């Protein structure tokens, strides 16, 4: 997807478009940027986070959906941990869905991936035993509607588990840190000897 300055300008008033543009841009490098892996380190983290909220009863959940899955960090690591059996992922970013499905294949899993808005999930009523999300609710403009959708697609007796949301102070720190990091990185990659390892100035400008 080619991003124009008009797209970036429109995204300033459209949080959904902003999410698509940013996450499509970052999809192929996102795991490295945030140290996301599909090994014991991240599997233990995801499992322990899930257990702290929902306990260990009911494992494995038969059909599970991750909303705003990104590259599949939470659902795929829960699958590795034996928490869930069949995995479906959605994200508003086509690039993220593509990477999540590819990550699943690398783990040896068959993953159903769909590009979808969390506020209008493309699944029938009572389709899943478990709905999960990790660090996603703060991206959704209408959280109440998204939760209605999560409940709609849950089977009777199913569960939904959302984790990883930033705290008020943590979000402020994260925003300031990301702004500072971008400013430093965008200048550093223009230095001789470093330029070939970074993204071009033209690539970085739409992301700012």
């Amino acid at each position: 997807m080619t991003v124009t300055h008009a797209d970036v300008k429109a995204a300033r008033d459209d949080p959904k478009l902003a999410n698509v543009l940013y996450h499509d841009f970052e999809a192929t490098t996102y795991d490295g940027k945030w140290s996301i892996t599909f090994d014991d380190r991240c599997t233990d983290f995801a499992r322990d986070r899930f257990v702290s909220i929902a306990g260990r009863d009911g494992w494995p959940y038969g059909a599970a959906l991750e909303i705003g899955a990104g590259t599949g960090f939470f659902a795929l690591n829960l699958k590795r941990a034996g928490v869930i059996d069949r995995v479906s992922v959605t994200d508003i970013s086509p690039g993220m869905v593509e990477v999540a499905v590819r990550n699943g294949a690398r783990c040896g899993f068959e993953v159903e991936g769909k590009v979808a808005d969390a506020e209008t999930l493309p699944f029938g009523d009572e389709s899943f035993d478990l709905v999960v999300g990790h660090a996603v609710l703060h991206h959704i403009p209408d959280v109440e509607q998204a939760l209605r959708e999560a409940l709609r697609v849950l089977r009777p007796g199913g569960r939904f588990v959302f984790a990883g949301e930033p705290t008020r102070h943590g979000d402020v720190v994260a925003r300031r840190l990301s702004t500072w990091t971008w400013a430093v990185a965008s200048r550093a990659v223009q230095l001789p000897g470093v330029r070939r390892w970074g993204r071009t100035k033209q690539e970085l400008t739409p992301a700012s």
Side-chain angles (χ1 to χ4, degrees):
M1 178 181 180
T2 301
V3 179
T4 67
H5 285 288
D7 293 326
V8 174
K9 184 176 180 180
R12 296 183 188 279
D13 298 314
D14 184 342
K16 292 183 182 181
L17 177 59
N19 270 307
V20 172
L21 296 184
Y22 169 76
H23 289 98
D24 273 358
F25 183 81
E26 294 288 344
T28 58
T29 58
Y30 196 80
D31 287 348
K33 178 179 180 179
W34 296 105
S35 298
I36 292 172
T37 56
F38 302 93
D39 55 18
D40 289 347
R41 178 181 67 89
C42 279
T43 296
D44 290 349
F45 177 87
R47 181 202 59 228
D48 293 348
R49 180 153 285 193
F50 185 92
V51 169
S52 70
I53 298 169
R56 296 176 179 271
D57 294 340
W59 296 11
Y61 293 87
L65 169 67
E66 182 173 7
I67 295 172
T71 62
F73 160 74
F74 204 39
L76 294 180
N77 278 301
L78 291 178
K79 165 75 172 172
R80 290 189 81 252
V83 178
I84 60 181
D85 186 10
R86 298 183 303 281
V87 181
S88 296
V89 298
T90 64
D91 199 283
I92 201 170
S93 160
M96 287 292 187
V97 173
E98 182 180 346
V99 173
V101 171
R102 187 163 64 239
N103 282 339
R106 288 173 178 163
C107 293
F109 307 147
E110 183 176 345
V111 176
E112 177 188 32
K114 290 190 177 184
V115 178
D117 187 330
E119 297 170 16
T120 53
L121 296 174
F123 302 100
D125 296 352
E126 302 179 6
S127 297
F128 298 97
D129 303 296
L130 175 70
V131 175
V132 299
H134 191 275
V136 62
L137 294 179
H138 63 286
H139 289 298
I140 300 172
D142 191 341
V143 174
E144 185 175 345
Q145 174 59 27
L147 292 178
R148 285 196 194 99
E149 282 290 275
L151 292 174
R152 179 184 65 78
V153 301
L154 272 177
R155 292 172 182 153
R159 320 188 72 153
F160 66 91
V161 175
F162 289 89
E165 295 302 315
T167 65
R168 179 182 304 173
H169 298 298
D171 196 30
V172 171
V173 171
R175 286 180 183 276
R176 289 179 179 173
L177 180 60
S178 65
T179 300
W180 177 83
T181 301
W182 181 89
V184 171
S186 63
R187 288 170 175 78
V189 296
Q190 305 308 313
L191 296 174
V194 179
R195 188 178 296 115
R196 68 191 182 95
W197 299 105
R199 295 187 175 183
T200 66
K201 187 175 182 180
Q202 288 72 26
E203 288 178 306
L204 287 167
T205 298
S208 63

